[in-house]
Amino acid sequence: ERKKSRIQEWYFKDKKEMRAINTQLDLAITFYKRALLIENDNSTALVGIGNAYFYQGQYLNAKKYYEDILRTDPKSPVGYSGLLNLYIERNAYPLVATIHAELRDKKMLKELPSPLLSKLAGFYLDKRAKGDSNIRIDYGVTTPRLKDSNDNTYPAVLEVLRAINERDPDYPQLHIQFARLHMAQQNMLEMERYLDKALAHAPNYYSALHLKG
């Protein structure tokens, strides 16, 4: 805010771009778009604009830029990460499952960042069968890759956790999500074992201590 009055002078001179800039994210979008004028397929600029729109809650605009990355590079972990994170935030299960399937087919799941994979595992855990609600009834899912015979999402959770384990076996959240999986399955001994693993990698880790308590 203290520098806002100087932005026009520093970056725009007599141009009119400043009229549409009210926040830091607006300014970031402007700079990224300038980069695209120089290199129209620059993935750093595309994901930067996508993320800025995402943080502003402009999800359709964000989606467009993540998809633009994948049009330029169909095997871009950055493009897939942006779309997957957006769909998880929007609680769009069918779209999350579709991106997951594409990543599986391209053998790319383990290329996504560990925090996003942990978020995906947690998303699937939250979709496990509860009462008369499950992914078979709610979304028509029948594939054993995503659900077990009790309509729980544990096969999907395990696939994601194995991907994290391949890329980052010491990641504390990996063991937290394994612990949550065993808690859902009422296997408290295994739950405690994974919590101890998390604490071995990150002593005093709050979520591990909370779950252990």
Side-chain angles (χ1 to χ4, degrees):
E1 282 298 317
R2 287 185 293 110
K3 297 177 179 177
K4 189 174 180 179
S5 62
R6 305 291 303 280
I7 289 174
Q8 179 77 42
E9 173 193 347
W10 288 341
Y11 302 119
F12 303 116
K13 301 301 181 184
D14 56 349
K15 296 179 181 177
K16 297 178 180 178
E17 288 174 282
M18 190 62 195
R19 293 180 184 178
I21 295 173
N22 298 304
T23 68
Q24 290 171 305
L25 289 173
D26 293 331
L27 186 59
I29 290 169
T30 298
F31 286 140
Y32 281 129
K33 285 184 175 178
R34 285 185 174 190
L36 290 178
L37 290 175
I38 300 168
E39 185 181 355
N40 63 9
D41 61 352
N42 184 286
S43 61
T44 301
L46 290 169
V47 77
I49 296 172
N51 287 345
Y53 280 131
F54 175 84
Y55 296 136
Q56 289 179 323
Q58 298 185 41
Y59 298 115
L60 288 177
N61 285 335
K63 178 174 177 285
K64 174 194 177 300
Y65 280 92
Y66 298 141
E67 289 175 338
D68 284 348
I69 296 171
L70 291 174
R71 272 191 284 273
T72 302
D73 178 5
K75 296 191 74 172
S76 167
V78 172
Y80 273 116
S81 294
L83 278 181
L84 184 60
N85 188 50
L86 188 154
Y87 294 150
I88 292 173
E89 285 292 318
R90 300 297 293 163
N91 194 27
Y93 177 86
L95 295 173
V96 170
T98 298
I99 294 295
H100 182 174
E102 289 182 24
L103 290 165
R104 180 196 300 119
D105 291 344
K106 294 181 179 182
K107 297 179 170 54
M108 287 180 56
L109 195 59
K110 66 181 180 181
E111 295 183 34
L112 269 58
S114 296
L116 179 57
L117 289 173
S118 177
K119 187 174 182 176
L120 176 60
F123 176 82
Y124 280 137
L125 266 175
D126 291 339
K127 296 294 182 186
R128 66 187 182 277
K130 297 175 184 176
D132 60 354
S133 175
N134 59 65
I135 60 173
R136 177 180 56 82
I137 293 173
D138 298 341
Y139 305 107
V141 175
T142 59
T143 174
R145 283 184 162 179
L146 295 178
K147 72 168 208 63
D148 61 19
S149 58
N150 295 317
D151 295 325
N152 280 308
T153 52
Y154 303 148
V157 176
L158 280 170
E159 183 177 36
V160 175
L161 293 180
R162 285 167 183 155
I164 302 175
N165 192 56
E166 280 192 58
R167 61 165 291 136
D168 200 356
D170 296 334
Y171 183 51
Q173 269 294 317
L174 165 65
H175 305 294
I176 293 293
Q177 296 295 11
F178 264 122
R180 291 187 63 219
L181 173 61
H182 287 295
M183 179 171 65
Q185 296 173 318
Q186 298 297 304
N187 188 339
M188 300 306 170
L189 286 175
E190 281 297 291
M191 176 187 176
E192 184 176 29
R193 186 169 74 87
Y194 277 103
L195 291 175
D196 288 340
K197 283 187 175 184
L199 289 168
H201 293 300
N204 300 318
Y205 193 40
Y206 176 82
S207 57
L209 293 172
H210 175 74
L211 285 171
K212 193 162 184 178

